[in-house]
Amino acid sequence: QVQLVESGGGLVQAGGSLRLSCAASVTMFSINVMGWYRQAPGKERELVAEITLGDKINYGDFVKGRFTISRDNAKSRLYLQMSSLEPEDTAVYYCIAAYRLGVPAYWGQGTQVTVSS
């Protein structure tokens, strides 16, 4: 069982930046895929970014170079640096762990990101 705890969400103005962090309860050297999903009110959950142990990275189409995902396996930490935030980025952001790309196995409780216009 993997427990994931997100932090770093909050309220930011449009054009601003936030850095999300996720702490894993196990060594991330044992987790192939780490990533971030988000869910906005009334919308389905969608992939934001995912990264493998080999540093293969996928981003959602909407990211358009604004976000950067990274992982520190030694510290069991996952990060999402978000810049040029837009009101449309308002959502609950979830940290995930998976054995293969596109198939989350574990979810954090989520952290709210609100971007004001």
Side-chain angles (χ1 to χ4, degrees):
Q1 189 75 9
V2 178
Q3 293 181 329
L4 305 167
V5 179
E6 304 95 335
S7 60
L11 174 64
V12 64
Q13 288 188 332
S17 300
L18 275 178
R19 188 193 195 206
L20 304 183
S21 298
C22 173
S25 63
V26 300
T27 173
M28 279 172 48
F29 287 111
S30 65
I31 304 174
N32 182 30
V33 182
M34 296 292 298
W36 295 94
Y37 279 67
R38 73 181 188 182
Q39 187 167 23
K43 295 187 177 181
E44 292 188 353
R45 215 169 270 191
E46 61 181 347
L47 172 70
V48 178
E50 57 187 353
I51 180 171
T52 69
L53 268 173
D55 289 333
K56 175 179 171 60
I57 294 174
N58 293 322
Y59 289 105
D61 290 341
F62 60 87
V63 171
K64 297 179 182 177
R66 300 180 298 130
F67 300 173
T68 301
I69 189 172
S70 60
R71 60 190 288 170
D72 185 333
N73 297 320
K75 295 182 178 179
S76 292
R77 293 289 192 275
L78 176 73
Y79 304 102
L80 183 69
Q81 179 67 48
M82 303 186 293
S83 60
S84 301
L85 284 162
E86 304 166 351
E88 293 74 22
D89 294 315
T90 295
V92 177
Y93 284 70
Y94 297 91
C95 176
I96 67 99
Y99 300 107
R100 53 192 178 107
L101 290 168
V103 187
Y106 303 98
W107 295 81
Q109 82 287 352
T111 186
Q112 177 70 46
V113 171
T114 303
V115 184
S116 63
S117 57

